[in-house]
Amino acid sequence: MAQMGATGDNGALSLAASALTSDLGATTAQIQLANMVYPLVGGAFMIAGGLAGTIVGWTRTFRGGMLLCALGEVVLALSPSMEVFIWGGRVLVGLGASFMIPSVLGLIPLIYQGANRTIAFGAIGAASGLSALLPLGLGVVMEAAGMRATFLTLAAYFAIVFACSFALPHIEQRRAKSSFDAAGVGLAASGLFLLLIGLSSISSWGLVAPLAGAPFTIFGISPALPLALAGLAVLGVLVVVERRVEERGGIPVLPSVFLTTPQVRAGLVACALTFFFMGAQSILMAPYLQLVAGWSPVAVGAISIVTGVPTFALALGIPKLAPHAEPRRVIQAGYVVMALALGVMALSVTLDGASAPLVYLGAFLAGVGAGTVSSHASNVVAAALPEREASQSGGIQSTMRNVGQALGVALLGAVLLFGITGTVRERAADASISEKAQRQLAGVTIDLGSDRTFEDEIAKLDLTSSERGELVGIEADARLGAVRTAYVVGAVIVLAGLATTPSIALTRPSRRDQPKAA
């Protein structure tokens, strides 16, 4: 139920694209940032959530995270502006998830062993598929009662799950006696935050040349890349500090075994790519179908069922019905199908809409690929670790999921927005557009939207009627090309994950083959 709620929250935000634009005046960049903040905050603090669970107990961190999620949904529902929506509600939900989701993954190794553990991890992946029912129901609520009632519904859902948590069985957990690794938590949170905020802001702040939305500049260039590089530098320091913590016999926030075990790294990449794929859907499919093709929230929500059913069936069915399936082959097959799904989605978009049959086919293949990878991704990580690190790995797994989703939104969002704006400016220079109009157009950042949306964006420019019509045609072509390019880039990145799979054991390693705890 917790995993479904977390996935449902992201689904609700995708469905709310039109409402955010009309009710709160959101731009595409702000919608992208709203999508980013949840994985940004979650990714920054989930490692800390994983360590907290080992010290204070997974059940306590689970309940605390649930309450924060409920509070965050209330703030989202009552937000008077996009600033409060993003930096109030989305931040609180991200913080809640940073404690809730590692607790889910941390409890499983303590409750289940052997084949049952594999099935249990598959069930968590299947929950993402089962959550496909939530967007459809939330879409109905959104159409009937509006965006605010939808987020209040999610708040009530998290409150119910919190109450249900008191029915969890009592778990004997040996809590760590070591002190909390405050230095590691601080470095991990700040490093991941800088990295992700830098990447997520490329489309709104600029890659090198600063855009109008950049809050400041660094030596005259956009702050996006410098912040991302600073984040990588901080994470490099984290690795050094954590090795010293281990040498002193403490419990590090990032055990070295996570970095030095090839199968663990491959499993973490699988976790990241599954959610990278979800990020691609949230920034490409749902906004395009609503803002360009004019699909209703209910129609977009219905697509999630087409994705969710195969995700649920395969994430749970593969470990249950094919317990001897080779994890490496399963994950490789999942990557190929995920890339194929993105290719079909690229073909589904048209100049002013979308081909419904191809949209549904792409959504179905997306569920097949995501469910296949999810069936073994978490267990590939846990199976290569001793018990304590296997339980603590919930934090790093969750971090990689959020980092993957953030990268999907950031990278593909940047390809989308820069592709549209750059192509329009380039083709305008070659068309019969006056130099004066071209100079005015250089100051316009073009958002993803319909022809009417673009007409509103250039309404204040000094254009003749023929120039205006020509620019609308140019923007429509640029929009189509940029969306398709973004899908193809996503497919290439997913296929790159195949390079990590040779390190995945063909069968689940026995306990004696696992590395010893530090």
Side-chain angles (χ1 to χ4, degrees):
M1 292 177 70
Q3 182 64 57
M4 286 175 60
T7 307
D9 171 80
N10 287 314
L13 185 59
S14 296
L15 295 176
S18 295
L20 290 173
T21 302
S22 59
D23 295 356
L24 300 181
T27 64
T28 300
Q30 286 178 318
I31 293 174
Q32 179 184 349
L33 183 58
N35 274 288
M36 270 296 307
V37 164
Y38 172 89
L40 174 68
V41 174
F45 290 97
M46 282 213 187
I47 294 180
L51 181 60
T54 65
I55 295 176
V56 303
W58 293 115
T59 303
R60 289 183 178 179
T61 55
F62 178 80
R63 290 172 181 158
M66 201 68 62
L67 290 176
L68 283 173
C69 285
L71 178 60
E73 300 294 349
V74 172
V75 173
L76 291 174
L78 303 179
S79 294
S81 65
M82 280 302 295
E83 287 72 23
V84 176
F85 187 94
I86 294 171
W87 300 112
R90 295 302 287 166
V91 167
L92 282 171
V93 175
L95 283 173
S98 69
F99 291 98
M100 177 180 70
I101 300 303
S103 301
V104 171
L105 298 176
L107 286 168
I108 288 176
L110 299 179
I111 299 174
Y112 301 104
Q113 298 295 326
N116 285 337
R117 179 188 290 183
T118 304
I119 295 171
F121 276 124
I124 297 302
S128 296
L130 191 60
S131 65
L133 298 175
L134 289 178
L136 181 60
L138 293 172
V140 173
V141 174
M142 193 167 294
E143 281 206 344
M147 175 189 71
R148 299 185 188 280
T150 302
F151 287 113
L152 285 176
T153 300
L154 278 170
Y157 178 87
F158 282 118
I160 291 171
V161 180
F162 171 78
C164 290
S165 71
F166 289 92
L168 285 172
H170 177 70
I171 299 167
E172 292 293 340
Q173 179 182 347
R174 291 179 298 174
R175 297 178 187 173
K177 297 180 180 179
S178 178
S179 60
F180 190 73
D181 182 14
V185 168
L187 288 170
S190 57
L192 287 165
F193 187 87
L194 288 170
L195 173 65
L196 294 178
I197 196 65
L199 290 175
S200 68
S201 301
I202 287 174
S203 59
S204 56
W205 295 354
L207 183 63
V208 177
L211 299 178
F216 57 90
T217 61
I218 298 177
F219 300 114
I221 67 173
S222 164
L225 281 183
L227 288 179
L229 292 174
L232 288 175
V234 173
L235 293 176
V237 174
L238 170 68
V239 173
V240 176
V241 169
E242 295 304 275
R243 285 180 180 175
R244 294 176 179 174
V245 172
E246 285 185 307
E247 290 171 357
R248 295 196 302 267
I251 300 178
V253 69
L254 182 64
S256 60
V257 69
F258 291 164
L259 303 177
T260 59
T261 307
Q263 177 166 313
V264 173
R265 293 199 301 266
L268 294 176
V269 168
C271 292
L273 284 179
T274 303
F275 279 71
F276 171 88
F277 187 74
M278 294 179 181
Q281 288 181 288
S282 69
I283 195 61
L284 294 177
M285 176 183 278
Y288 188 90
L289 291 178
Q290 290 187 75
L291 301 176
V292 179
W295 289 32
S296 69
V298 171
V300 176
I303 295 174
S304 63
I305 294 181
V306 180
T307 301
V309 169
T311 299
F312 174 79
L314 291 168
L316 187 58
I318 290 175
K320 181 70 174 178
L321 303 178
H324 301 296
E326 298 175 349
R328 182 193 304 173
R329 305 302 182 207
V330 170
I331 290 178
Q332 288 172 338
Y335 285 161
V336 172
V337 177
M338 286 165 62
L340 178 61
L342 287 167
V344 172
M345 291 174 185
L347 296 176
S348 73
V349 297
T350 62
L351 197 61
D352 57 356
S355 167
L358 289 179
V359 168
Y360 288 119
L361 175 59
F364 176 78
L365 291 173
V368 171
T372 301
V373 176
S374 297
S375 68
H376 278 282
S378 291
N379 196 54
V380 160
V381 175
L385 296 168
E387 182 176 293
R388 190 185 74 188
E389 280 74 9
S391 183
Q392 188 180 346
S393 72
I396 187 66
Q397 287 185 57
S398 301
T399 297
M400 292 303 294
R401 290 179 177 187
N402 284 274
V403 168
Q405 183 176 348
L407 288 174
V409 173
L411 296 182
L412 301 187
V415 171
L416 176 65
L417 295 181
F418 283 134
I420 296 174
T421 301
T423 301
V424 169
R425 291 174 180 171
E426 180 181 345
R427 290 189 57 186
D430 298 330
S432 55
I433 308 296
S434 67
E435 291 186 5
K436 178 181 178 182
Q438 291 180 39
R439 289 194 297 270
Q440 291 177 322
L441 189 63
V444 177
T445 299
I446 303 169
D447 290 329
L448 176 66
S450 64
D451 291 349
R452 179 59 182 273
T453 301
F454 179 64
E455 289 174 355
D456 291 340
E457 290 175 341
I458 61 173
K460 295 182 179 180
L461 302 188
D462 186 13
L463 300 169
T464 66
S465 58
S466 61
E467 287 177 329
R468 199 174 301 277
E470 188 171 5
L471 278 178
V472 170
I474 289 173
E475 192 273 341
D477 289 335
R479 180 180 64 214
L480 177 63
V483 171
R484 288 182 170 176
T485 299
Y487 274 126
V488 171
V489 170
V492 171
I493 292 173
V494 169
L495 287 176
L498 290 170
T500 67
T501 56
S503 61
I504 299 175
L506 291 176
T507 57
R508 190 172 64 85
S510 63
R511 185 60 68 181
R512 66 176 179 271
D513 296 328
Q514 294 171 359
K516 296 180 180 179

